[in-house]
Amino acid sequence: MTLHPSRPLRALLGALALAAALPSFAATKVTIAVVSLDGDPRHAPRRMEKAYPGHPTGRAIDGVQLAAEDSAFELDAAGIALEVKDVVLPNAGGLTKALAELKAAKVQHVVADLPAAELRALVQAAPAALGGAIVFNAAADDDALRGAQCAAHLLHTIPSRAMLSDALAQYLAARNWRKALVLQGPLPGDAPMLEAFNRAAKRYGIKATSTKPFKLTGDPRERDLGNVRLLTGSDREHEVVAVLDSDGEFARTVPYATQLPRPVVGANGLVAVPWHPLWERNGGPQLSRRFAKEHKRPMTGHDWAAWIAGRAVATVLVDLPKAPVAQQLKALRGGPVAVDGFKGPRLSFRAWDGQLRQPIFLSHVDGVIGVAPLDGVLHPKEVMDTLGVDEAESACKQRP
Protein backbone atom coordinates (compact mmCIF):
# COMPACT_ATOMS: atom_id res chain seq x y z
CA MET A 1 0.00 0.00 0.00
CA THR A 2 1.37 3.41 -0.96
CA LEU A 3 1.10 6.14 1.66
CA HIS A 4 0.46 9.69 0.42
CA PRO A 5 1.27 12.65 2.70
CA SER A 6 -1.62 14.82 3.78
CA ARG A 7 -2.07 18.30 2.31
CA PRO A 8 -0.65 20.12 5.41
CA LEU A 9 2.33 17.80 5.43
CA ARG A 10 2.91 18.33 1.71
CA ALA A 11 2.83 22.08 2.29
CA LEU A 12 5.37 21.80 5.10
CA LEU A 13 7.67 19.62 3.03
CA GLY A 14 7.40 22.09 0.18
CA ALA A 15 8.30 25.00 2.45
CA LEU A 16 11.31 23.13 3.81
CA ALA A 17 12.49 22.32 0.31
CA LEU A 18 12.10 25.96 -0.73
CA ALA A 19 14.04 27.13 2.33
CA ALA A 20 16.82 24.70 1.52
CA ALA A 21 16.98 25.98 -2.04
CA LEU A 22 17.20 29.66 -1.05
CA PRO A 23 20.68 31.16 -0.59
CA SER A 24 21.78 31.40 3.07
CA PHE A 25 22.86 34.74 4.47
CA ALA A 26 25.86 34.64 6.78
CA ALA A 27 25.56 36.55 10.01
CA THR A 28 27.75 39.59 10.47
CA LYS A 29 30.57 38.63 12.81
CA VAL A 30 31.54 41.07 15.56
CA THR A 31 34.37 40.32 17.96
CA ILE A 32 34.81 41.60 21.51
CA ALA A 33 38.39 41.44 22.74
CA VAL A 34 38.94 40.96 26.48
CA VAL A 35 42.41 42.26 27.29
CA SER A 36 44.19 41.19 30.48
CA LEU A 37 47.76 41.06 31.75
CA ASP A 38 49.74 37.90 32.37
CA GLY A 39 51.03 37.89 35.93
CA ASP A 40 48.51 40.51 37.08
CA PRO A 41 48.87 40.36 40.89
CA ARG A 42 45.11 40.79 41.29
CA HIS A 43 44.68 37.43 39.57
CA ALA A 44 47.27 35.46 41.51
CA PRO A 45 45.55 32.14 42.38
CA ARG A 46 46.41 32.26 46.07
CA ARG A 47 45.03 35.78 46.28
CA MET A 48 41.81 35.04 44.41
CA GLU A 49 41.05 32.02 46.55
CA LYS A 50 40.93 34.29 49.62
CA ALA A 51 37.97 36.12 48.01
CA TYR A 52 38.39 39.43 49.83
CA PRO A 53 35.19 41.53 49.56
CA GLY A 54 35.26 43.78 46.52
CA HIS A 55 38.20 41.98 44.88
CA PRO A 56 38.12 39.78 41.77
CA THR A 57 37.96 36.02 42.14
CA GLY A 58 38.37 35.32 38.43
CA ARG A 59 39.06 36.95 35.07
CA ALA A 60 36.75 39.22 33.09
CA ILE A 61 36.61 36.80 30.18
CA ASP A 62 34.14 34.70 32.21
CA GLY A 63 31.60 37.50 32.50
CA VAL A 64 31.92 38.61 28.87
CA GLN A 65 31.44 35.06 27.59
CA LEU A 66 28.27 34.72 29.64
CA ALA A 67 27.02 38.03 28.23
CA ALA A 68 27.57 36.78 24.69
CA GLU A 69 25.59 33.62 25.48
CA ASP A 70 22.80 35.60 27.14
CA SER A 71 22.58 37.89 24.10
CA ALA A 72 22.72 35.18 21.43
CA PHE A 73 18.98 35.08 20.69
CA GLU A 74 18.51 38.80 20.08
CA LEU A 75 21.80 39.06 18.20
CA ASP A 76 20.84 36.14 15.97
CA ALA A 77 17.54 37.85 15.16
CA ALA A 78 19.55 40.93 14.12
CA GLY A 79 21.86 38.84 11.93
CA ILE A 80 24.89 39.28 14.18
CA ALA A 81 27.27 36.65 15.53
CA LEU A 82 29.15 37.87 18.59
CA GLU A 83 32.50 36.26 19.35
CA VAL A 84 34.73 36.77 22.38
CA LYS A 85 38.51 36.85 21.96
CA ASP A 86 40.79 36.34 24.95
CA VAL A 87 43.89 38.55 24.71
CA VAL A 88 46.49 38.10 27.44
CA LEU A 89 49.39 40.55 27.27
CA PRO A 90 52.69 38.89 28.23
CA ASN A 91 53.75 42.25 29.70
CA ALA A 92 53.05 45.94 29.21
CA GLY A 93 55.34 45.96 26.18
CA GLY A 94 53.14 43.43 24.39
CA LEU A 95 50.35 45.95 23.77
CA THR A 96 51.53 47.09 20.32
CA LYS A 97 51.63 43.56 18.92
CA ALA A 98 48.27 42.71 20.45
CA LEU A 99 46.62 45.77 18.93
CA ALA A 100 48.05 44.90 15.51
CA GLU A 101 46.47 41.45 15.77
CA LEU A 102 43.16 42.96 16.86
CA LYS A 103 43.24 45.35 13.91
CA ALA A 104 43.75 42.42 11.55
CA ALA A 105 40.70 40.78 13.15
CA LYS A 106 38.70 44.04 12.73
CA VAL A 107 38.07 44.37 16.45
CA GLN A 108 36.58 47.67 17.65
CA HIS A 109 35.05 46.66 21.00
CA VAL A 110 37.49 46.05 23.84
CA VAL A 111 36.82 45.06 27.46
CA ALA A 112 39.83 45.91 29.64
CA ASP A 113 40.63 43.76 32.65
CA LEU A 114 43.79 45.69 33.48
CA PRO A 115 45.46 47.65 36.27
CA ALA A 116 45.17 51.43 35.90
CA ALA A 117 48.61 52.02 34.31
CA GLU A 118 48.15 49.38 31.62
CA LEU A 119 44.58 50.57 31.03
CA ARG A 120 45.79 54.10 30.36
CA ALA A 121 48.29 52.78 27.79
CA LEU A 122 45.56 50.79 26.07
CA VAL A 123 43.19 53.74 26.01
CA GLN A 124 45.82 56.01 24.47
CA ALA A 125 46.78 53.57 21.74
CA ALA A 126 43.54 51.80 20.83
CA PRO A 127 41.69 54.41 18.69
CA ALA A 128 44.55 55.00 16.26
CA ALA A 129 45.63 51.34 16.22
CA LEU A 130 42.14 49.94 15.62
CA GLY A 131 40.69 52.69 13.45
CA GLY A 132 38.32 53.75 16.21
CA ALA A 133 37.35 51.71 19.24
CA ILE A 134 35.21 51.61 22.35
CA VAL A 135 37.11 50.55 25.47
CA PHE A 136 35.12 49.30 28.47
CA ASN A 137 36.91 49.50 31.81
CA ALA A 138 35.67 46.53 33.84
CA ALA A 139 38.37 46.45 36.52
CA ALA A 140 39.88 49.80 37.62
CA ASP A 141 37.97 51.96 40.12
CA ASP A 142 40.39 54.91 40.00
CA ASP A 143 38.52 58.22 40.12
CA ALA A 144 41.21 59.89 37.98
CA LEU A 145 40.19 57.68 35.03
CA ARG A 146 36.78 59.36 35.20
CA GLY A 147 38.31 62.80 35.77
CA ALA A 148 41.46 64.43 34.47
CA GLN A 149 42.64 61.16 32.86
CA CYS A 150 39.36 60.35 31.11
CA ALA A 151 39.01 59.66 27.39
CA ALA A 152 36.15 60.15 24.97
CA HIS A 153 36.07 56.49 23.94
CA LEU A 154 36.49 55.05 27.47
CA LEU A 155 33.38 53.74 29.24
CA HIS A 156 33.38 52.38 32.80
CA THR A 157 31.20 49.50 33.95
CA ILE A 158 33.02 49.02 37.26
CA PRO A 159 31.91 51.70 39.74
CA SER A 160 34.40 54.35 40.79
CA ARG A 161 35.77 54.72 44.31
CA ALA A 162 33.64 57.85 44.65
CA MET A 163 30.49 55.88 43.83
CA LEU A 164 31.27 53.16 46.36
CA SER A 165 32.12 55.71 49.05
CA ASP A 166 28.95 57.70 48.39
CA ALA A 167 26.85 54.53 48.67
CA LEU A 168 28.45 53.68 52.00
CA ALA A 169 28.07 57.24 53.33
CA GLN A 170 24.41 57.32 52.32
CA TYR A 171 23.81 54.17 54.34
CA LEU A 172 25.67 55.51 57.39
CA ALA A 173 23.67 58.72 57.24
CA ALA A 174 20.41 56.80 56.91
CA ARG A 175 21.29 54.75 60.03
CA ASN A 176 22.44 57.93 61.80
CA TRP A 177 25.91 56.45 62.34
CA ARG A 178 27.64 59.75 61.84
CA LYS A 179 30.84 59.38 63.89
CA ALA A 180 33.44 57.17 62.25
CA LEU A 181 36.83 55.98 63.45
CA VAL A 182 38.87 55.63 60.25
CA LEU A 183 41.64 53.05 59.90
CA GLN A 184 43.89 53.71 56.92
CA GLY A 185 46.63 51.50 55.48
CA PRO A 186 50.07 52.42 54.10
CA LEU A 187 49.71 51.05 50.56
CA PRO A 188 49.51 53.32 47.47
CA GLY A 189 45.88 52.31 46.94
CA ASP A 190 44.86 53.25 50.48
CA ALA A 191 45.35 57.01 50.12
CA PRO A 192 42.82 57.36 47.26
CA MET A 193 40.35 55.33 49.31
CA LEU A 194 40.74 57.81 52.16
CA GLU A 195 40.28 60.74 49.78
CA ALA A 196 37.06 59.22 48.40
CA PHE A 197 35.77 58.42 51.89
CA ASN A 198 36.47 61.94 53.17
CA ARG A 199 34.71 63.44 50.15
CA ALA A 200 31.63 61.26 50.69
CA ALA A 201 31.67 61.84 54.47
CA LYS A 202 31.59 65.60 53.96
CA ARG A 203 28.81 65.24 51.41
CA TYR A 204 26.54 63.23 53.73
CA GLY A 205 27.46 64.61 57.13
CA ILE A 206 29.72 61.83 58.44
CA LYS A 207 32.42 63.00 60.88
CA ALA A 208 35.76 61.23 61.29
CA THR A 209 36.44 61.28 65.03
CA SER A 210 40.04 60.27 64.26
CA THR A 211 42.09 58.67 61.49
CA LYS A 212 44.62 56.05 62.56
CA PRO A 213 47.23 54.26 60.45
CA PHE A 214 47.44 50.49 60.49
CA LYS A 215 50.18 48.24 59.19
CA LEU A 216 50.59 44.51 58.70
CA THR A 217 54.14 43.87 59.84
CA GLY A 218 56.30 41.34 61.60
CA ASP A 219 58.44 44.05 63.16
CA PRO A 220 57.91 43.89 66.95
CA ARG A 221 58.52 47.64 67.17
CA GLU A 222 55.40 48.25 65.05
CA ARG A 223 53.11 45.54 66.37
CA ASP A 224 50.75 48.12 67.87
CA LEU A 225 49.90 49.24 64.32
CA GLY A 226 48.40 45.82 63.62
CA ASN A 227 46.54 45.35 66.90
CA VAL A 228 42.85 46.00 66.26
CA ARG A 229 41.93 46.35 69.94
CA LEU A 230 44.61 48.98 70.51
CA LEU A 231 43.69 50.85 67.34
CA THR A 232 40.02 51.02 68.28
CA GLY A 233 40.26 51.36 72.07
CA SER A 234 41.40 54.92 72.75
CA ASP A 235 38.71 56.73 70.73
CA ARG A 236 35.40 56.17 72.51
CA GLU A 237 33.29 58.65 70.54
CA HIS A 238 32.94 56.67 67.34
CA GLU A 239 29.77 54.84 66.34
CA VAL A 240 31.28 52.89 63.46
CA VAL A 241 34.76 51.76 62.34
CA ALA A 242 35.64 52.44 58.68
CA VAL A 243 38.59 50.36 57.51
CA LEU A 244 40.20 51.54 54.26
CA ASP A 245 42.37 48.71 53.03
CA SER A 246 42.99 48.33 49.29
CA ASP A 247 44.70 44.98 49.89
CA GLY A 248 42.00 43.41 52.07
CA GLU A 249 44.20 41.28 54.33
CA PHE A 250 44.09 43.55 57.38
CA ALA A 251 40.43 44.46 56.93
CA ARG A 252 39.29 40.87 57.36
CA THR A 253 40.70 40.86 60.91
CA VAL A 254 38.65 43.86 62.09
CA PRO A 255 34.98 42.75 62.38
CA TYR A 256 34.16 41.44 65.88
CA ALA A 257 37.69 42.29 67.05
CA THR A 258 37.20 45.97 67.98
CA GLN A 259 37.63 47.09 71.58
CA LEU A 260 34.13 48.53 71.68
CA PRO A 261 31.06 46.85 70.14
CA ARG A 262 30.92 48.79 66.88
CA PRO A 263 29.89 47.91 63.30
CA VAL A 264 32.72 47.73 60.76
CA VAL A 265 32.34 49.13 57.24
CA GLY A 266 34.52 49.77 54.21
CA ALA A 267 36.83 46.99 53.07
CA ASN A 268 35.10 44.40 55.26
CA GLY A 269 31.99 44.06 57.38
CA LEU A 270 29.48 46.20 55.51
CA VAL A 271 30.88 46.60 51.97
CA ALA A 272 29.64 48.58 48.95
CA VAL A 273 29.78 46.38 45.83
CA PRO A 274 28.33 46.43 42.30
CA TRP A 275 27.02 42.85 42.57
CA HIS A 276 26.35 40.21 45.20
CA PRO A 277 25.62 36.56 44.37
CA LEU A 278 22.75 36.57 46.89
CA TRP A 279 20.89 39.51 45.30
CA GLU A 280 17.33 38.16 45.19
CA ARG A 281 15.44 40.57 42.94
CA ASN A 282 15.16 41.66 39.28
CA GLY A 283 16.32 38.34 37.88
CA GLY A 284 19.49 38.39 39.97
CA PRO A 285 19.23 34.77 41.16
CA GLN A 286 18.95 33.50 37.59
CA LEU A 287 22.01 35.47 36.47
CA SER A 288 24.06 34.34 39.47
CA ARG A 289 23.04 30.71 38.97
CA ARG A 290 23.97 30.76 35.28
CA PHE A 291 27.37 32.20 36.09
CA ALA A 292 28.04 29.78 38.96
CA LYS A 293 26.97 26.78 36.88
CA GLU A 294 29.29 27.73 34.02
CA HIS A 295 32.33 28.92 35.98
CA LYS A 296 32.08 26.97 39.26
CA ARG A 297 32.32 30.04 41.51
CA PRO A 298 30.03 32.82 42.76
CA MET A 299 29.52 35.90 40.59
CA THR A 300 31.26 38.95 42.07
CA GLY A 301 31.16 42.66 41.28
CA HIS A 302 34.06 42.40 38.83
CA ASP A 303 32.31 39.55 37.01
CA TRP A 304 29.14 41.63 36.79
CA ALA A 305 31.09 44.61 35.43
CA ALA A 306 32.54 42.39 32.68
CA TRP A 307 29.12 40.86 31.97
CA ILE A 308 27.39 44.24 31.67
CA ALA A 309 30.16 45.45 29.32
CA GLY A 310 29.39 42.53 27.04
CA ARG A 311 25.67 43.22 27.33
CA ALA A 312 26.26 46.89 26.44
CA VAL A 313 28.04 45.85 23.24
CA ALA A 314 25.26 43.43 22.37
CA THR A 315 22.56 46.02 23.07
CA VAL A 316 24.07 48.73 20.90
CA LEU A 317 24.69 46.23 18.09
CA VAL A 318 21.03 45.20 18.15
CA ASP A 319 19.78 48.80 18.33
CA LEU A 320 22.21 50.11 15.69
CA PRO A 321 23.32 47.07 13.68
CA LYS A 322 24.75 49.01 10.73
CA ALA A 323 26.13 52.02 12.62
CA PRO A 324 29.87 52.71 12.66
CA VAL A 325 31.62 52.41 16.00
CA ALA A 326 31.75 56.20 16.47
CA GLN A 327 27.94 56.35 16.27
CA GLN A 328 27.64 53.40 18.65
CA LEU A 329 29.84 55.23 21.15
CA LYS A 330 27.67 58.34 21.02
CA ALA A 331 24.54 56.22 21.45
CA LEU A 332 26.00 54.64 24.59
CA ARG A 333 27.69 57.64 26.20
CA GLY A 334 24.85 59.96 27.05
CA GLY A 335 22.73 58.67 24.19
CA PRO A 336 19.47 56.71 24.00
CA VAL A 337 20.90 53.21 24.51
CA ALA A 338 20.34 51.72 27.98
CA VAL A 339 21.13 48.25 29.31
CA ASP A 340 19.29 45.86 31.63
CA GLY A 341 21.70 45.02 34.44
CA PHE A 342 19.30 42.87 36.54
CA LYS A 343 19.39 45.54 39.25
CA GLY A 344 16.00 47.10 38.57
CA PRO A 345 16.23 50.27 36.44
CA ARG A 346 17.74 50.23 32.98
CA LEU A 347 21.29 51.53 33.13
CA SER A 348 22.91 54.24 31.03
CA PHE A 349 26.37 55.76 30.67
CA ARG A 350 26.96 59.32 31.84
CA ALA A 351 27.73 61.77 29.07
CA TRP A 352 30.34 63.67 31.07
CA ASP A 353 32.68 60.87 32.19
CA GLY A 354 31.56 57.63 30.57
CA GLN A 355 30.63 56.01 33.90
CA LEU A 356 27.77 53.52 33.95
CA ARG A 357 25.01 54.67 36.30
CA GLN A 358 24.06 51.78 38.54
CA PRO A 359 22.62 50.95 41.96
CA ILE A 360 25.26 49.89 44.49
CA PHE A 361 24.63 47.05 46.95
CA LEU A 362 25.40 47.50 50.65
CA SER A 363 26.23 43.96 51.64
CA HIS A 364 27.89 41.54 53.99
CA VAL A 365 29.07 38.01 53.30
CA ASP A 366 25.58 36.50 53.50
CA GLY A 367 23.46 39.02 51.64
CA VAL A 368 22.39 42.50 50.58
CA ILE A 369 20.92 44.73 53.29
CA GLY A 370 20.56 47.99 51.36
CA VAL A 371 20.69 49.46 47.87
CA ALA A 372 22.05 52.91 47.09
CA PRO A 373 20.80 55.45 46.18
CA LEU A 374 18.81 55.07 49.38
CA ASP A 375 15.24 56.24 49.77
CA GLY A 376 15.13 59.92 50.61
CA VAL A 377 18.31 60.83 48.72
CA LEU A 378 17.37 63.36 46.05
CA HIS A 379 18.85 64.78 42.85
CA PRO A 380 17.37 67.43 40.53
CA LYS A 381 17.72 65.23 37.42
CA GLU A 382 18.72 61.61 38.07
CA VAL A 383 18.93 60.10 41.56
CA MET A 384 21.67 57.64 40.53
CA ASP A 385 23.89 60.65 39.90
CA THR A 386 24.09 61.07 43.68
CA LEU A 387 26.64 58.25 43.46
CA GLY A 388 30.00 59.48 42.24
CA VAL A 389 31.07 62.72 40.59
CA ASP A 390 28.20 64.74 39.18
CA GLU A 391 28.44 66.72 35.96
CA ALA A 392 29.12 70.08 37.61
CA GLU A 393 32.02 68.59 39.59
CA SER A 394 33.59 66.55 36.81
CA ALA A 395 37.12 67.29 35.61
CA CYS A 396 36.57 65.21 32.46
CA LYS A 397 36.52 67.41 29.37
CA GLN A 398 36.55 64.68 26.71
CA ARG A 399 33.46 63.97 24.62
CA PRO A 400 32.96 61.54 21.72
Side-chain angles (χ1 to χ4, degrees), residues 320-342:
L320 302 168
K322 298 186 182 300
V325 70
Q327 187 177 342
Q328 293 175 13
L329 175 61
K330 289 181 179 179
L332 284 168
R333 183 165 167 172
V337 175
V339 191
D340 182 4
F342 288 19

Side-chain angles (χ1 to χ4, degrees), residues 267-320:
N268 211 300
L270 180 70
V271 183
V273 292
W275 186 258
H276 195 288
L278 296 179
W279 172 238
E280 297 179 346
R281 299 173 61 186
N282 309 117
Q286 290 79 10
L287 175 60
S288 291
R289 280 198 292 267
R290 289 198 305 273
F291 185 91
K293 181 179 179 180
E294 186 161 329
H295 299 293
K296 313 304 179 190
R297 60 184 179 85
M299 190 178 200
T300 68
H302 284 77
D303 299 315
W304 182 88
W307 175 82
I308 199 68
R311 287 288 295 147
V313 173
T315 301
V316 77
L317 289 174
V318 169
D319 286 5
L320 302 168

Side-chain angles (χ1 to χ4, degrees), residues 6-82:
S6 65
R7 183 174 295 175
L9 180 59
R10 288 199 303 271
L12 175 61
L13 292 172
L16 292 173
L18 179 61
L22 290 173
S24 60
F25 296 94
T28 301
K29 187 178 82 169
V30 178
T31 302
I32 304 177
V34 183
V35 181
S36 58
L37 179 67
D38 188 29
D40 188 334
R42 297 174 306 126
H43 297 156
R46 292 192 65 180
R47 177 172 183 80
M48 288 197 296
E49 69 185 13
K50 293 181 178 179
Y52 297 131
H55 291 254
T57 58
R59 297 175 58 234
I61 186 73
D62 296 342
V64 179
Q65 286 175 336
L66 181 62
E69 295 167 12
D70 287 350
S71 307
F73 181 81
E74 56 189 317
L75 287 167
D76 184 64
I80 299 169
L82 190 61

Side-chain angles (χ1 to χ4, degrees), residues 324-381:
V325 70
Q327 187 177 342
Q328 293 175 13
L329 175 61
K330 289 181 179 179
L332 284 168
R333 183 165 167 172
V337 175
V339 191
D340 182 4
F342 288 19
K343 292 186 178 187
R346 289 180 64 79
L347 311 179
S348 60
F349 291 91
R350 291 171 179 153
W352 57 91
D353 62 1
Q355 174 66 57
L356 182 69
R357 297 181 176 96
Q358 56 186 281
I360 300 294
F361 297 151
L362 286 310
S363 65
H364 52 74
V365 65
D366 284 331
V368 177
I369 61 169
V371 181
L374 272 76
D375 290 341
V377 177
L378 302 177
H379 188 277
K381 295 181 180 179

Side-chain angles (χ1 to χ4, degrees), residues 36-254:
S36 58
L37 179 67
D38 188 29
D40 188 334
R42 297 174 306 126
H43 297 156
R46 292 192 65 180
R47 177 172 183 80
M48 288 197 296
E49 69 185 13
K50 293 181 178 179
Y52 297 131
H55 291 254
T57 58
R59 297 175 58 234
I61 186 73
D62 296 342
V64 179
Q65 286 175 336
L66 181 62
E69 295 167 12
D70 287 350
S71 307
F73 181 81
E74 56 189 317
L75 287 167
D76 184 64
I80 299 169
L82 190 61
E83 296 185 359
V84 180
K85 183 178 180 62
D86 190 11
V87 179
V88 181
L89 304 178
N91 50 54
L95 179 60
T96 301
K97 180 180 178 182
L99 288 174
E101 293 173 353
L102 293 182
K103 182 179 181 181
K106 299 181 180 180
V107 173
Q108 291 186 304
H109 303 87
V110 179
V111 176
D113 183 16
L114 294 168
E118 287 76 11
L119 174 61
R120 284 192 290 268
L122 171 65
V123 169
Q124 291 172 2
L130 301 180
I134 304 175
V135 178
F136 294 86
N137 167 31
D141 62 2
D142 300 53
D143 290 317
L145 293 169
R146 287 91 169 156
Q149 298 173 12
C150 71
H153 56 286
L154 177 60
L155 303 178
H156 308 273
T157 55
I158 197 79
S160 65
R161 290 193 190 102
M163 292 174 69
L164 299 175
S165 295
D166 281 337
L168 190 61
Q170 285 185 14
Y171 188 83
L172 296 181
R175 299 290 297 171
N176 205 27
W177 296 341
R178 295 185 178 274
K179 297 178 181 180
L181 167 62
V182 180
L183 303 182
Q184 181 201 358
L187 299 177
D190 297 336
M193 290 183 72
L194 177 64
E195 182 180 353
F197 179 84
N198 287 339
R199 171 190 168 276
K202 182 178 180 180
R203 199 175 191 183
Y204 292 102
I206 310 301
K207 177 187 176 184
T209 58
S210 61
T211 300
K212 296 186 177 182
F214 68 79
K215 187 175 183 180
L216 280 174
T217 175
D219 188 337
R221 295 169 298 180
E222 297 181 313
R223 64 179 180 270
D224 290 356
L225 295 176
N227 188 309
V228 175
R229 293 187 65 182
L230 289 175
L231 289 170
T232 59
S234 60
D235 180 348
R236 306 188 68 86
E237 294 184 22
H238 65 279
E239 299 164 331
V240 63
V241 176
V243 56
L244 308 180
D245 179 12
S246 59
D247 175 73
E249 177 67 22
F250 175 80
R252 69 175 181 160
T253 69
V254 181

